[in-house]
């Protein structure tokens, strides 16, 4: 049985406890590897290594830092097939998606920040003829990066790349549910010649290892992506310690469809925004609102295409819906489908666990599910399900649909479908979400600020925001007269 190892001070080592946790292949429902059951002792070793490496890494010419990071990205490209297969086995997602989204974006994240850091600018303010003020940005120190299970390598690199490019050293913890590709990445870091101690990866449980990272006094900036409940726990620990915090949390995103939309584009994209990654993307549009005059036609066609989605073995090229990430998560999703029925919802398609034949007989599969007949303010429409489950509801006016869209505690993303330019701007201004797509979904420019409002998080990642997050700033005023 393969043993995943921690990556501390440039070496792949066992946890101090020498204890391991089971790591499941969710498509088979079987244990296929072991993950270190690390603890605070391992985090402390990692922080010591990161501190020891900080001076050399933070003062290294940015071109040299960039070259090492770009080498890691090149090695991700080289091992593309291996990483995509590992991601699919670890997470349950179709390997086709790991190849089209997860792994390419992991390399892109690293390239984006490795090159961006070379063009980072700072500002100066000239006070007449009396003084020059300039802003000095320097790497903040040891950063803590904690990532979730839904887009494992994509989000792991989205956290560590800006920190490393900014000149910070890092102590990182991927999700204990999907540790494999982060482990494989650490092997590529060694091969790329990343200096020892610059990146340290401590595998293990959130409340044990994650908590130890959050509370370690020498980790001064925390970048986290995960659930809102966990985000609040992290803030409760980090805020009194005055740590810098970037929290990318959950969402319950509205997908607003007007009757004048481009019907075919809206339909095909909405299938993706509803069921990609089995609905396990915080940006998925799980609440679909359709203008009443289009509601019947849209719903009928959407259900037909949902039924046509191939669900099953994630390693089959034709599979569109793979396994949910764990048995516990599958039970959570099924419990929400049961709740939807109790709240008066009508299941138009899906709603059940799927028994897949062959090697995946023990896997965690749930049918893509479409529900109508619910009120916008019921629990099913207010709480994050994070599975292949969407609700559809008609609306008559812009005011009504904005009220529905903004009725949850979340404010992460929204999609708007209309060919009316004024209305597109009007609704975009009215929706309380940090990321808004008009006539598209998940179209990303990495320079743009990325993050949510309300309970979807604090801080912005992406572009200069992420690089600045990992620096500390001082203003120097030079009196000239
Ligand atoms: O996330 P957690 P989970 C949502 C989604 C999902 C729910 C819970 O609704 O069902 O969150 O998912 C680490 N201190 N999203 O349980 O618990 C943990 O080990 C420090 C949306 O997977 O937030 C893992 O590495 N760290 C989200 C990471 O936090 C702690 C994507 C995320 O785990 C910790 C994933 C603690 N006390 C889930 N407890 C998105 N925005 O994309 C856990 N962790």
């Amino acid at each position: 049985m393969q043993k995943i190892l921690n990556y501390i001070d440039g070496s792949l080592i066992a946890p101090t406890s020498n204890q391991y946790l089971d790591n499941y292949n969710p498509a088979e429902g079987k244990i296929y590897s072991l993950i270190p059951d690390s603890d605070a002792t391992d985090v402390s070793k990692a922080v010591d290594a990161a501190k020891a490496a900080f001076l050399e890494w933070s003062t290294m010419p940015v071109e040299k830092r960039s070259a090492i990071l770009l080498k890691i990205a090149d090695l991700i490209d080289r091992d593309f097939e291996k990483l995509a297969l590992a991601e699919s086995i670890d997470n349950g997602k179709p390997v086709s998606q790991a190849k089209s989204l997860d792994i390419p974006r992991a390399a892109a994240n690293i390239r984006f920040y490795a090159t961006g850091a070379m063009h980072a600018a700072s500002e100066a303010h000239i006070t007449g003829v009396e003084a020059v003020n300039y802003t000095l940005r320097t790497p903040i120190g040891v950063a803590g990066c904690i990532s979730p299970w839904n887009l494992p390598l994509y989000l792991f690199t989205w956290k560590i790349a800006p920190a490393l490019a900014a000149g910070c050293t890092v102590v990182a913890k991927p999700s204990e549910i999907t540790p494999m590709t982060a482990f494989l990445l650490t092997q590529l870091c060694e091969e790329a010649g990343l200096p020892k101690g610059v990146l340290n990866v401590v595998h293990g449980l959130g409340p044990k290892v994650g908590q130890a990272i959050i509370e370690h006094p020498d980790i001064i900036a925390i970048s986290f992506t995960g659930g809102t409940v966990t985000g609040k726990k992290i803030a409760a620990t980090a805020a009194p310690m005055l740590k810098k915090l970037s929290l990318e949390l959950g969402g319950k995103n509205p997908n607003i469809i007007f009757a004048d939309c481009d019907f075919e584009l809206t339909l095909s994209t909405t299938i993706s925004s509803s069921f990609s990654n089995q609905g396990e993307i915080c940006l998925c549009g799980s609440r679909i609102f359709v203008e009443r005059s289009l509601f019947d036609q849209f719903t009928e066609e959407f259900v037909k295409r949902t039924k046509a989605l191939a669900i099953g073995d994630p390693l089959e090229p034709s599979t569109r819906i793979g396994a949910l990430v764990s048995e516990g998560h599958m039970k959570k999703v099924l419990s929400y489908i049961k709740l939807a029925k109790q709240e008066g919802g009508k299941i138009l398609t899906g709603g059940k666990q799927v028994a897949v034949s062959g090697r995946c007989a023990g896997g965690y599969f749930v049918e893509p599910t479409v529900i109508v007949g619910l009120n916008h303010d019921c629990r099913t429409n207010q709480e994050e399900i994070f599975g292949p489950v969407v609700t559809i509801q008609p609306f008559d006016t812009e005011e009504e649909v904005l009220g529905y869209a903004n009725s949850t505690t979340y404010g992460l993303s929204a999609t708007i479908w209309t060919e009316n330019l004024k209305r597109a701007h009007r609704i975009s201004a009215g929706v309380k979400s940090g990321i808004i797509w008009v006539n598209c979904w998940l179209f990303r420019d990495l320079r743009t600020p990325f993050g949510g409002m309300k309970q979807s998080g604090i801080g912005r990642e992406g572009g200069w925001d992420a690089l600045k997050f990992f620096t500390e700033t001082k203003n120097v005023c030079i009196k000239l007269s």
Side-chain angles (χ1 to χ4, degrees), residues 392-406:
I392 310 184
Q393 185 176 343
F395 69 88
D396 294 300
T397 67
E398 289 185 12
E399 187 187 10
E400 180 191 2
V401 73
L402 277 176
Y404 295 160
N406 294 333

Side-chain angles (χ1 to χ4, degrees), residues 147-150 173 175-176 206 210 224 226-227 230 249 282 332 384:
S147 53
W149 50 256
N150 56 325
K173 191 197 83 68
S175 172
E176 58 276 30
F224 169 77
T230 304
L249 307 178
C282 54
K332 170 187 169 184
E384 187 177 46

Side-chain angles (χ1 to χ4, degrees), residues 404-427:
Y404 295 160
N406 294 333
S407 66
T408 72
T409 57
Y410 294 103
L412 187 54
S413 72
T415 39
I416 300 163
W417 297 95
T418 178
E419 295 296 304
N420 179 322
L421 188 59
K422 284 184 188 172
R423 174 152 65 197
H425 289 296
R426 206 166 42 238
I427 300 295

Side-chain angles (χ1 to χ4, degrees), residues 178-255:
T178 52
M180 188 57 76
T181 44
F183 170 55
L184 296 176
L185 182 75
T186 55
Q187 296 169 25
L188 300 185
C189 290
E190 271 194 281
E191 189 178 347
L194 188 70
K196 68 181 185 140
V198 169
L199 171 66
N200 303 276
V201 180
V202 184
H203 292 276
L205 300 173
K208 204 156 122 182
V209 175
Q211 183 65 23
I213 290 172
I214 303 301
E215 59 191 31
H216 195 292
D218 296 331
I219 291 181
I220 38 195
I222 303 285
S223 176
F224 169 77
T225 293
T228 294
V229 170
T230 304
K232 289 179 177 177
K233 287 179 195 165
I234 290 173
T237 302
M241 299 175 79
L242 296 181
K243 296 192 176 193
K244 280 184 89 170
L245 263 184
S246 172
L247 299 175
E248 289 300 316
L249 307 178
K252 188 71 178 182
N253 309 308
N255 177 1

